[in-house]
């Protein structure tokens, strides 16, 4: 299975059955992600070096204007897309198998978790996986220690308060907070 075939399968919304070809690809991509993130997190890298490592990790071209402060963790890496001017702060964890898209100028705070995977509630299928993409809109701001769950779109200009758990879409230009996150105000 190629990386593009993996991305296409994950975009289909079909479940990933334990020990299937797609599941095996998860493990292969995880090993590569562990190797690259270990390099990213083990020592200082000049911005140009870090950029090259991100392109290896994400398996695609990354705009030169993307900023990241390590440490950074991902258990796949090959299904993340970031646009110009995105900044990702320290300690973030991206579970990107289901797809993560971060649009222009978005800010991702310290220790943010973006989780695109879930498991079925049926114990007989607990090792299978369900995925749905996360989309962070233009100039959105995800506050420190927030968690955004599978299938969520955070609209353009929206703010997710620190520590929030986002389980549903966030409308553009709104502030959400809490567990689960609810609208606090409109901007």
């Amino acid at each position: 299975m190629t990386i593009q075939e993996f991305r296409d399968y994950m975009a289909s919304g079909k479940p990933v059955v334990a020990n299937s070809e797609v599941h095996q690809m998860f493990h292969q991509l995880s090993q590569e992600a562990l190797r690259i993130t270990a390099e990213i997190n083990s020592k200082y890298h000049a911005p140009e070096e870090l950029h090259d490592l991100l392109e290896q990790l994400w398996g695609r071209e990354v705009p030169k204007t993307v900023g990241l402060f390590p440490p950074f963790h991902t258990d796949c890496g090959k299904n993340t897309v970031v646009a110009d001017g995105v900044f990702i702060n320290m300690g973030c964890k991206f579970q990107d198998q289901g797809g993560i898209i971060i649009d222009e100028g978005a800010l991702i705070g310290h220790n943010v978790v973006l989780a695109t995977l879930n498991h079925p509630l049926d114990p007989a299928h607990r090792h299978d996986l369900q995925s749905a993409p996360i989309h962070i809109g233009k100039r959105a701001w995800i506050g420190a220690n927030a968690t955004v769950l599978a299938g969520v779109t955070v609209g353009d200009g929206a703010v997710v308060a620190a520590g929030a758990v986002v389980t549903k879409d966030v409308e553009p230009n709104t502030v959400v907070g809490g567990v689960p996150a609810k609208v606090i105000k409109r901007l």
Side-chain angles (χ1 to χ4, degrees), residues 63-138:
K64 299 277 187 196
T65 57
V66 168
L68 177 129
F69 284 177
F72 175 77
H73 301 278
T74 184
D75 55 0
C76 177
K78 297 299 188 261
N79 214 1
T80 295
V81 178
V82 295
D84 285 320
V86 167
F87 178 72
I88 302 165
N89 219 324
M90 293 179 182
C92 290
K93 296 174 180 70
F94 288 11
Q95 183 190 55
D96 72 327
Q97 288 92 334
I100 294 173
I101 298 170
I102 305 175
D103 288 339
E104 296 86 6
L107 301 174
I108 311 298
H110 285 89
N111 301 314
V112 166
V113 173
L114 303 180
T116 66
L117 294 178
N118 209 340
H119 295 275
L121 293 177
D122 179 356
H125 295 281
R126 191 65 44 86
H127 287 274
D128 295 348
L129 296 161
Q130 302 163 326
S131 70
I134 292 173
H135 187 164
I136 308 296
K138 295 176 184 174

Side-chain angles (χ1 to χ4, degrees), residues 20-186:
S20 66
E21 180 183 19
V22 177
H23 196 244
Q24 294 305 314
M25 186 66 162
F26 269 39
H27 291 290
Q28 179 182 334
L29 295 174
S30 292
Q31 292 307 303
E32 183 177 356
L34 289 169
R35 179 184 57 77
I36 296 169
T37 56
E39 175 63 26
I40 288 171
N41 298 330
S42 67
K43 62 183 178 182
Y44 172 78
H45 295 281
E48 301 79 21
E49 295 172 316
L50 188 54
H51 177 267
D52 291 345
L53 288 165
L54 288 175
E55 286 192 338
Q56 288 176 43
L57 179 63
W58 291 334
R60 61 180 85 230
E61 192 172 321
V62 175
K64 299 277 187 196
T65 57
V66 168
L68 177 129
F69 284 177
F72 175 77
H73 301 278
T74 184
D75 55 0
C76 177
K78 297 299 188 261
N79 214 1
T80 295
V81 178
V82 295
D84 285 320
V86 167
F87 178 72
I88 302 165
N89 219 324
M90 293 179 182
C92 290
K93 296 174 180 70
F94 288 11
Q95 183 190 55
D96 72 327
Q97 288 92 334
I100 294 173
I101 298 170
I102 305 175
D103 288 339
E104 296 86 6
L107 301 174
I108 311 298
H110 285 89
N111 301 314
V112 166
V113 173
L114 303 180
T116 66
L117 294 178
N118 209 340
H119 295 275
L121 293 177
D122 179 356
H125 295 281
R126 191 65 44 86
H127 287 274
D128 295 348
L129 296 161
Q130 302 163 326
S131 70
I134 292 173
H135 187 164
I136 308 296
K138 295 176 184 174
R139 294 171 307 286
W141 174 21
I142 312 299
N145 297 301
T147 298
V148 179
L149 297 181
V152 168
T153 294
V154 176
D156 293 349
V159 176
V160 173
V165 176
V166 184
T167 61
K168 296 181 181 171
D169 289 352
V170 178
E171 292 181 24
N173 300 307
T174 59
V175 178
V176 300
V179 179
K182 296 187 182 337
V183 174
I184 296 171
K185 68 178 179 177
R186 302 198 188 287

